[in-house]
Amino acid sequence: MTEPRIGVVGIPGKWSTEALADAVEAKTGFRLVIDMGRVTLDLASGALLHDGIDLCQLDGLIIKKISEIYSPHVLDRLEMLRFAEARGVKIFSRPESVLRLIDRLACTVSLAAAEVPMPATRITEDRDAALQAAREFGAAVFKPLYSTKARGMTLIDGDDPTAPDRIAAFAAEHPVMYIQQKMDLSGQDLGIVFLGGAYVCTYARVKQGDTWNTTIHSGGKYAPFEPDDALIELARRAQAPFGLDFTTVDVALTQIGPIVFEVSAFGGFRGVKEGCGLDAAAMLVEHVLARVSA
């Protein structure tokens, strides 16, 4: 029986993309890293082409990363992949599932509908309302709707005399302002990992120095963490509406109990490796092969 041909959608040269492509190659002998910036959808011929290869002829695609930077443009890339799915290619995770997570607001609305606890959150285009939220929250994190690893996030103290100017500067770049109350994270937050909806492990992101967030992009470090059953169940409930094949739920332990920040569209391989001592790429490939061959 011929081994399935499975492509990896990601960023060529990036560790997680290459690790996943290595894992696919080790199991199937086939290796293809797909840069969506080099993909052409030809509706007349019904082909989705990458360097002369029609992706619609593959057995499967794994989306590890859709773009280096999140933006509305990423949604167009997912629509192109949705065409391949319509042609019978099995995609992990499905483009429709990923679409609901690229926009931070879409993820938040789904979490709120599922009654998942989150920080106090307001969304507005009104700068006066944004200032009022910052004052009521005491300190507020202004978040771009499209970003990862805390990029573009701005911490604003509502009582700071410069707050109106800082809000205006943020709004000039991000007219729809996503505003969350800053929570005391006690120096860490958690990544709770699921594969096909089943719990895998939990790692902590521990902040370093005086930065206000814990992201690795800001110098945070991964560490092991053992959650209790209630925490795992909270994260399971948070990721369930999205139907992802591999994901990480970002959870923080606060004075008011555990809260969920977001559900990752792609999950974190390095956190699983360094915090849990597991090979996420190999586990995901096993999961994919079982479903492609079914």
Side-chain angles (χ1 to χ4, degrees), residues 229-250:
D229 290 344
L231 199 58
I232 295 172
E233 184 54 34
L234 170 62
R236 188 191 314 279
R237 186 157 57 87
Q239 59 85 43
F242 302 101
L244 298 161
D245 289 284
F246 181 76
T247 188
T248 303
V249 182
D250 290 345

Side-chain angles (χ1 to χ4, degrees), residues 157-227:
D157 184 334
D159 294 327
D160 186 335
T162 68
D165 291 337
R166 298 187 66 203
I167 290 172
F170 184 87
E173 189 172 355
H174 309 287
V176 178
M177 290 174 281
Y178 181 106
I179 309 161
Q180 279 190 331
Q181 183 175 22
K182 181 181 181 295
M183 308 297 292
D184 181 4
L185 307 184
S186 301
Q188 70 174 14
D189 67 351
L190 309 175
I192 304 183
V193 184
F194 292 84
L195 178 65
Y199 172 71
V200 176
C201 69
T202 299
Y203 57 83
R205 284 176 294 252
V206 183
K207 79 172 185 177
Q208 304 293 305
D210 58 0
T211 181
W212 63 270
N213 67 70
T214 62
T215 67
I216 304 306
H217 181 68
S218 298
K221 301 296 182 183
Y222 294 116
F225 188 91
E226 289 296 331

Side-chain angles (χ1 to χ4, degrees), residues 40-262:
T40 299
L41 174 58
D42 185 346
L43 291 174
S45 66
L48 187 66
L49 299 169
H50 179 270
D51 291 346
I53 297 175
D54 183 1
L55 304 184
C56 293
Q57 301 302 313
L58 299 182
D59 299 291
L61 292 168
I62 308 174
I63 307 176
K64 183 61 195 84
K65 199 73 173 175
I66 197 68
S67 176
E68 186 74 52
I69 304 295
Y70 282 12
S71 73
H73 173 56
V74 170
L75 307 182
D76 301 324
R77 292 183 169 186
L78 288 165
E79 290 295 343
M80 294 170 71
L81 291 174
R82 202 160 66 87
F83 180 83
E85 184 180 43
R87 295 292 302 275
V89 181
K90 294 182 180 179
I91 302 182
F92 308 88
S93 294
R94 295 186 61 205
E96 184 177 347
S97 297
V98 176
L99 274 165
R100 298 166 60 205
L101 289 165
I102 295 298
D103 180 340
R104 178 171 276 108
L105 180 53
C107 176
T108 297
V109 168
S110 296
L111 291 174
E115 298 184 344
V116 172
M118 294 179 290
T121 305
R122 295 184 193 174
I123 298 93
T124 184
E125 296 180 50
D126 186 321
R127 297 180 186 183
D128 290 335
L131 179 59
Q132 182 64 27
R135 287 173 173 167
E136 290 183 20
F137 292 165
V141 182
F142 284 65
K143 301 182 177 183
L145 293 184
Y146 299 91
S147 73
T148 61
K149 303 185 186 304
R151 293 183 180 94
M153 294 185 186
T154 301
L155 179 63
I156 297 178
D157 184 334
D159 294 327
D160 186 335
T162 68
D165 291 337
R166 298 187 66 203
I167 290 172
F170 184 87
E173 189 172 355
H174 309 287
V176 178
M177 290 174 281
Y178 181 106
I179 309 161
Q180 279 190 331
Q181 183 175 22
K182 181 181 181 295
M183 308 297 292
D184 181 4
L185 307 184
S186 301
Q188 70 174 14
D189 67 351
L190 309 175
I192 304 183
V193 184
F194 292 84
L195 178 65
Y199 172 71
V200 176
C201 69
T202 299
Y203 57 83
R205 284 176 294 252
V206 183
K207 79 172 185 177
Q208 304 293 305
D210 58 0
T211 181
W212 63 270
N213 67 70
T214 62
T215 67
I216 304 306
H217 181 68
S218 298
K221 301 296 182 183
Y222 294 116
F225 188 91
E226 289 296 331
D228 59 26
D229 290 344
L231 199 58
I232 295 172
E233 184 54 34
L234 170 62
R236 188 191 314 279
R237 186 157 57 87
Q239 59 85 43
F242 302 101
L244 298 161
D245 289 284
F246 181 76
T247 188
T248 303
V249 182
D250 290 345
V251 178
L253 305 178
T254 74
Q255 307 96 314
I256 61 173
I259 57 170
V260 173
F261 283 116
E262 64 182 10

